[in-house]
């Protein structure tokens, strides 16, 4: 009996405490990153909050140039200093703690969700923009 308990404990320790593997699919990874870094302001459906946080649905920035989109994530609201008519009461903090891969994953996710359909990102494209900031 003891032997069985010992063996099952050993098996559980070996296989039961494995860290949850990262999803291999870029969109699944992007969704996890969105949920923990963006959802709190941009909401689960990407609609933001009127007058507080801009919407990501059919946003010209989400669908626009990759360079500007990476700058928005890495600089936050500072990416909009030269843009008129930005009247959001909330501020977006720079999220430059995210890795190139994480930024590529989350931007691919928002470009292909919330009714958007634009080409995705590779980490190297984020790296190039980050190097020039
Ligand atoms: C603290 C709240 C907050 C968080 C967290 C946040 N944002 Fe934002 N985001 C904003 C606000 C506010 C604006 C509008 C900024 C402005 O105009 O100055 C904005 C603007 C944007 C825009 C421009 C959209 C448009 O059309 O105006 C994009 C794209 C964007 N955020 C993506 C992201 C992504 C991706 C994340 C997560 C990696 C994220 N944001 C996290 C608050 C936030």
């Amino acid at each position: 009996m003891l032997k069985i308990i010992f063996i099952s404990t050993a098996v559980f320790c070996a296989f039961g405490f494995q860290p949850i593997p990262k999803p291999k699919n870029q969109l699944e990874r992007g969704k996890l990153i969105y949920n923990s870094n963006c959802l709190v302001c941009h909401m689960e459906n990407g609609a933001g909050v009127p007058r507080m946080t801009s919407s990501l649905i059919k946003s010209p920035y989400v669908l626009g140039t990759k360079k500007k989109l990476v700058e928005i994530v890495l600089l936050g609201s500072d990416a909009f200093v030269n843009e008129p008519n930005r009247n959001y009461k909330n501020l977006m903090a720079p999220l430059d703690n995210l890795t190139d891969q994480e930024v590529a994953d989350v931007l691919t996710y928002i470009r292909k969700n919330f009714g958007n359909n634009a080409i995705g990102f590779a980490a190297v494209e984020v790296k190039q923009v980050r190097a020039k900031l």
Side-chain angles (χ1 to χ4, degrees):
M1 185 58 193
L2 255 180
K3 209 173 168 185
I4 293 174
I5 292 175
F6 176 76
I7 291 170
S8 44
T9 309
V11 168
F12 182 75
C13 288
F15 298 105
F17 293 121
Q18 298 285 322
I20 299 165
K22 268 198 184 162
K24 288 201 172 70
N25 179 304
Q26 187 180 31
L27 286 177
E28 285 172 25
R29 291 196 309 262
K31 183 174 186 176
L32 292 181
I33 297 161
Y34 182 85
N35 288 351
S36 46
N37 294 278
C38 323
L39 182 149
V40 63
C41 295
H42 290 283
M43 302 291 123
E44 196 171 4
N45 62 358
V49 179
R51 291 182 296 280
M52 292 289 294
T53 300
S54 55
S55 167
L56 304 179
I57 301 170
K58 307 252 157 80
S59 150
Y61 291 99
V62 174
L63 301 171
T65 71
K66 290 186 167 183
K67 178 173 180 283
K68 182 71 183 183
L69 195 47
V70 172
E71 285 173 1
I72 293 171
V73 173
L74 298 181
L75 300 174
S77 284
D78 282 354
F80 297 103
V81 282
N82 297 321
E83 323 239 338
N85 306 321
R86 303 287 305 177
N87 295 318
Y88 295 102
K89 290 204 171 67
N90 207 351
L91 278 179
M92 179 164 162
L95 294 165
D96 55 358
N97 57 317
L98 296 175
T99 65
D100 294 336
Q101 187 64 57
E102 287 169 335
V103 175
D105 293 348
V106 77
L107 291 181
T108 298
Y109 175 72
I110 68 169
R111 297 247 283 189
K112 293 185 183 294
N113 269 277
F114 316 133
N116 301 326
N117 190 6
I119 194 163
F121 274 79
V124 61
E125 296 175 285
V126 178
K127 190 179 178 183
Q128 284 161 359
V129 178
R130 196 194 296 262
K132 289 188 184 140
L133 284 182

